[in-house]
Amino acid sequence: IKLALRNGASLVPTFVFGETKLYQHSGILSGLQELVRSKIGMAPVLFYGRGFLQNSFGFLPLPKPMTVVVGEPIRIRKVLEPSQADIDYFHALYVKKVKKLYYKYNNIYGNPKAKLVIE
């Protein structure tokens, strides 16, 4: 947001449906993640996909469809030294537009049982 303000660049809200299905993680690995998290304070992301020459095990994404939805650009005026209030305003506006995209298209491309969480 700060860079967009400094450069007068438009913000374009987007959301990708299906991205969470590109990789899998195992329940076995979650125990290892928790152990590492308890030792260093953060959990590593342990995932797997498909192999380079076969579809067994590897780090390439699984062949699953993804759909990108794009919203209307948010025009930004150029502000060389944006205030925190400017940054907060446009951040809140961007999040609002992303949520709007999600709720508009989730029943078509996403998972109606999933809840959107933006922190």
Side-chain angles (χ1 to χ4, degrees), residues 59-76:
F59 296 105
L60 293 176
L62 297 169
K64 302 287 183 180
M66 293 190 323
T67 303
V68 179
V69 293
V70 180
E72 292 287 325
I74 301 169
R75 307 279 181 225
I76 304 287

Side-chain angles (χ1 to χ4, degrees), residues 52-97:
F52 183 69
L53 297 175
Q54 73 279 354
N55 285 335
S56 58
F57 178 84
F59 296 105
L60 293 176
L62 297 169
K64 302 287 183 180
M66 293 190 323
T67 303
V68 179
V69 293
V70 180
E72 292 287 325
I74 301 169
R75 307 279 181 225
I76 304 287
R77 68 190 184 288
K78 189 172 186 175
V79 180
L80 292 178
E81 290 301 323
S83 67
Q84 190 60 48
D86 290 333
I87 295 167
D88 292 344
Y89 171 78
F90 283 106
H91 180 264
L93 182 58
Y94 183 82
V95 169
K96 179 181 174 182
K97 300 281 187 173

Side-chain angles (χ1 to χ4, degrees), residues 14-25 47-48 61-68 109-111:
T14 58
F15 196 90
V16 181
F17 291 97
E19 187 176 20
T20 58
K21 296 178 183 176
L22 296 180
Y23 291 96
Q24 297 180 355
H25 61 87
F47 60 89
Y48 63 93
L62 297 169
K64 302 287 183 180
M66 293 190 323
T67 303
V68 179
Y109 304 116
N111 177 358

